[in-house]
Amino acid sequence: MTIFIYFLSTLFTFCLMEGVAWFAHKYVMHGFLWGLHEDHHRVHNNLFEKNDLFALIFAVPSALLFIFGSLEGIDFRFFMGLGILIYGICYFLVHDVLIHRRFKWFDKTTNRYFRAIRKAHKVHHKHQQKEDGECFGMLFVPLKYFKETTKKEAVWK
Ligand SMILES: [Zn+2]
Ligand SMILES: [Zn+2]
Ligand SMILES: [Zn+2]
């Protein structure tokens, strides 16, 4: 039973993080912290972006949950911290590697879900300004991008 609760804590937090990431992207990064996110909407050749600081910001609640969830033996908070960590890793692999190709790792994939994700995020990047953005989510892809992704072509095309 305990293991089931731990598993649910991780799964629930992982799913919750998609909502948190969507909210933060739409209302914080395209809001009062636009100054940190803006360089992600500009073309550049730098290795890092100010936008990368958000990864550190999201690491804080994860680290706190790991710490407080393991003070007197491990409890569900530890597994919530794990959920945030796993979401962060997935976000990095999908957003930074698969979509923005900061590392050339899975260029050959023809997976429909990955191509739909990439298409949706490219729509987000069509907008260069703080206002009138769309597609603020990441792992959850609106159905219409799935439907548009019919032909089998590699993901970077
Ligand atoms: Zn954005
Ligand atoms: Zn970028
Ligand atoms: Zn992006």
Side-chain angles (χ1 to χ4, degrees):
M1 194 57 198
T2 329
I3 287 191
F4 184 62
I5 288 174
Y6 290 165
F7 174 75
L8 278 188
S9 303
T10 301
L11 184 69
F12 172 78
T13 307
F14 181 92
C15 297
L16 187 71
M17 282 307 291
E18 174 69 9
V20 171
W22 173 85
F23 182 89
H25 190 187
K26 189 170 168 111
Y27 295 106
V28 179
M29 297 156 88
H30 284 255
F32 71 102
L33 288 181
W34 172 247
L36 291 179
H37 184 54
E38 185 175 12
D39 65 353
H40 185 62
H41 282 269
R42 304 276 170 264
V43 177
H44 61 74
N45 287 313
N46 308 328
L47 186 57
F48 291 106
E49 300 172 352
K50 277 191 215 148
N51 183 58
D52 296 331
L53 282 171
F54 286 106
L56 293 180
I57 293 173
F58 279 113
V60 172
S62 179
L64 289 175
L65 284 163
F66 275 125
I67 292 166
F68 288 104
S70 57
L71 286 180
E72 293 157 34
I74 285 182
D75 67 27
F76 71 96
R77 290 172 295 183
F78 180 93
F79 291 91
M80 290 180 75
L82 187 65
I84 298 180
L85 176 66
I86 295 173
Y87 184 84
I89 293 169
C90 290
Y91 193 101
F92 173 79
L93 289 176
V94 165
H95 177 258
D96 294 87
V97 181
L98 187 84
I99 297 173
H100 289 298
R101 303 178 70 211
R102 292 174 89 166
F103 300 92
K104 317 280 178 249
W105 290 343
F106 351 91
D107 280 357
K108 297 284 186 302
T109 180
T110 56
N111 181 286
R112 240 185 116 187
Y113 170 66
F114 287 147
R115 286 185 295 140
I117 275 187
R118 190 165 198 265
K119 187 170 267 176
H121 193 65
K122 289 291 168 185
V123 168
H124 178 70
H125 274 279
K126 269 202 282 184
H127 303 274
Q128 300 237 310
Q129 298 311 320
K130 180 177 169 185
E131 290 83 17
D132 31 76
E134 50 187 319
C135 295
F136 290 96
M138 182 51 55
L139 302 183
F140 174 77
V141 186
L143 201 61
K144 68 168 185 174
Y145 295 103
F146 258 115
K147 288 182 180 149
E148 287 173 17
T149 319
T150 43
K151 274 193 283 137
K152 261 211 167 202
E153 27 179 56
V155 72
W156 69 91
K157 282 181 188 158

